[in-house]
Amino acid sequence: INLSMYAVADSLREVLDSRRASLPPLQADMQLPFATALLVDSDRRQVLEVFRNWTAQSEMSHYLVSSSAQANNRPNECLAALSGITAGDQWDTVPWCLHSVGRYQEELDTVRAGLRAKPDNPMLAHREAAALAALGLGDEALSIVRASRSIDAGPWRFAFTVNAGLELLAHGRPEEGREALSLGIAWYEDQPPAESARALHRFEYGRALYSAGRWAEAREVLASLDVDLANDPQLFGRPIPWGYHNADVMLRGFLGALAVRLGDQEEADRIDDLLRNTDRRFLFGEHLHARAVVAAVRGDRDAAVGLLADALSAGKMWYHAWPGVGPRWDFHIDPDFASLRGYPPFEELIGPQD
């Protein structure tokens, strides 16, 4: 499952299910119900219930509850579960929880404590910028983004930069946000040809252009990738990077939104029809989320909120464990949902569920 090999995982689940009576408690009470809830029912709320009911009161059980609570947008429950963990650190999760409930100063303090121990951690650099942006300290947030250029985090580092730029835009700091996005785009454009040709790079580069409002350029990059992915389903490699197992569906969402933005309503309708008729296992609501994006960009707020709610019910995650990693953004900074900010049904849907 962690490698996005869902069909393989489901075949193993079937073997376990056939031997349920002989399974030890860990597999019978937790692993099998978890796999069934996720792979058969695509129900992340049911997954959380499985972990809540697991009788083993260990640090692992607390961790599983915390991660599943996070996937269900229950930051307070996530924080409570993390309080039962002493081993290791949770600097990747606690700041997200605090940000989700508007405790930005606590988020900043927590992140800076983490940075004292791990000064080159790109996740912490991103979360520091996000907290500063939410606190209205755009200049300081941008300085963090500039400094993060020296952090080597492989292909993800400027996905973090793009996300920081979107945080700045979402929190009313457009000038700093645009500069952060420009820094990320410049990095993608400065990579050697071998790196630039990789599917993951092309996706993230197109996403960066999109986030900066460079619609025509983003369409060129993402449409080319869409064609190549249709011709070669293995384009992202094996195992598929986390978050990209439905990259073809998410590409259609981007291209549908771009068609609307560029005035090509016929193409937007065609893509929406494709998404409506997409039917395969392990979608986890991605096709519904893609349709919600297209509806939101069109200005149909009720349809967008309804489709997004359906996507969440069908297994769409509320967040990406590493912001910027994966084909979409967290809902509260997603530029395609900017027109929905302040709309009560949308705010109620994406707000903390606990």
Side-chain angles (χ1 to χ4, degrees):
I1 289 173
N2 288 339
L3 294 175
S4 301
M5 299 171 66
Y6 296 109
V8 174
D10 195 46
S11 67
L12 295 173
R13 179 199 62 79
E14 291 177 347
V15 172
L16 285 173
D17 196 34
S18 69
R19 303 175 182 175
R20 176 186 287 269
S22 62
L23 294 177
L26 174 65
Q27 292 179 328
D29 297 339
M30 191 274 285
Q31 291 178 347
L32 181 57
F34 154 67
T36 300
L38 181 64
L39 300 173
V40 178
D41 300 321
S42 298
D43 190 338
R44 296 191 185 276
R45 286 169 288 195
Q46 186 177 330
V47 170
L48 176 57
E49 197 61 31
V50 167
F51 292 149
R52 284 172 178 159
N53 292 336
W54 188 36
T55 56
Q57 292 302 309
S58 63
E59 291 207 346
M60 176 56 72
S61 65
H62 285 288
Y63 170 75
L64 292 171
V65 170
S66 72
S67 61
S68 189
Q70 187 179 17
N72 282 276
N73 194 23
R74 298 180 63 85
N76 294 300
E77 182 173 2
C78 180
L79 286 170
L82 289 175
S83 67
I85 298 175
T86 58
D89 66 70
Q90 299 299 325
W91 287 319
D92 57 339
T93 305
V94 172
W96 175 88
C97 293
L98 295 172
H99 196 92
S100 297
V101 295
R103 292 159 60 180
Y104 305 128
Q105 186 60 54
E106 288 181 68
E107 177 190 16
L108 182 61
D109 294 342
T110 300
V111 167
R112 286 180 169 170
L115 283 168
R116 286 193 287 273
K118 298 184 176 183
D120 293 332
N121 185 310
M123 165 62 83
L124 291 172
H126 161 76
R127 293 270 31 131
E128 184 178 20
L132 289 166
L135 289 167
L137 303 173
D139 291 340
E140 291 185 50
L142 185 57
S143 71
I144 299 300
V145 173
R146 291 172 180 146
S148 72
R149 291 176 65 84
S150 65
I151 297 175
D152 183 8
W156 305 124
R157 59 177 168 178
F158 282 90
F160 294 135
T161 299
V162 169
N163 249 55
L166 292 173
E167 286 279 2
L168 285 160
L169 292 176
H171 289 288
R173 303 295 301 212
E175 184 176 341
E176 294 91 340
R178 285 192 292 268
E179 182 173 340
L181 294 173
S182 295
L183 289 171
I185 290 170
W187 181 84
Y188 285 114
E189 293 176 341
D190 194 39
Q191 297 310 294
E195 173 64 24
S196 298
R198 294 178 63 231
L200 186 60
H201 176 100
R202 293 163 66 190
F203 201 124
E204 289 296 325
Y205 175 45
R207 198 179 77 109
L209 291 168
Y210 187 97
S211 66
R214 292 165 60 172
W215 313 128
E217 295 166 88
R219 189 183 200 180
E220 181 179 357
V221 171
L222 295 176
S224 172
L225 179 59
D226 184 50
V227 171
D228 291 346
L229 185 58
N231 292 328
D232 180 9
Q234 311 297 319
L235 195 64
F236 278 87
R238 281 288 185 268
I240 297 173
W242 187 89
Y244 290 85
H245 62 283
N246 285 313
D248 58 331
V249 176
M250 300 312 297
L251 272 170
R252 288 174 192 153
F254 277 114
L255 292 171
L258 283 164
V260 176
R261 293 184 184 281
L262 293 170
D264 190 348
Q265 298 299 329
E266 184 176 344
E267 176 66 1
D269 289 341
R270 185 189 73 82
I271 291 174
D272 190 55
D273 285 341
L274 280 175
L275 292 167
R276 181 185 294 106
N277 294 315
T278 298
D279 184 18
R280 67 185 188 221
R281 296 194 69 191
F282 314 125
L283 278 169
F284 301 116
E286 294 289 6
H287 59 312
L288 297 165
H289 178 266
R291 293 190 64 211
V293 165
V294 176
V297 175
R298 277 180 158 156
D300 190 342
R301 298 192 299 181
D302 289 339
V305 172
L307 286 163
L308 183 56
D310 290 344
L312 292 166
S313 295
K316 172 68 179 175
M317 293 184 71
W318 288 89
Y319 79 108
H320 290 298
W322 283 44
V325 178
R328 292 302 311 188
W329 302 278
D330 284 2
F331 301 140
H332 81 286
I333 63 170
D334 193 322
D336 287 329
F337 292 142
S339 64
L340 300 180
R341 291 174 195 156
Y343 182 50
F346 175 71
E347 298 295 345
E348 181 179 353
L349 178 64
I350 70 164
Q353 300 299 295
D354 59 355

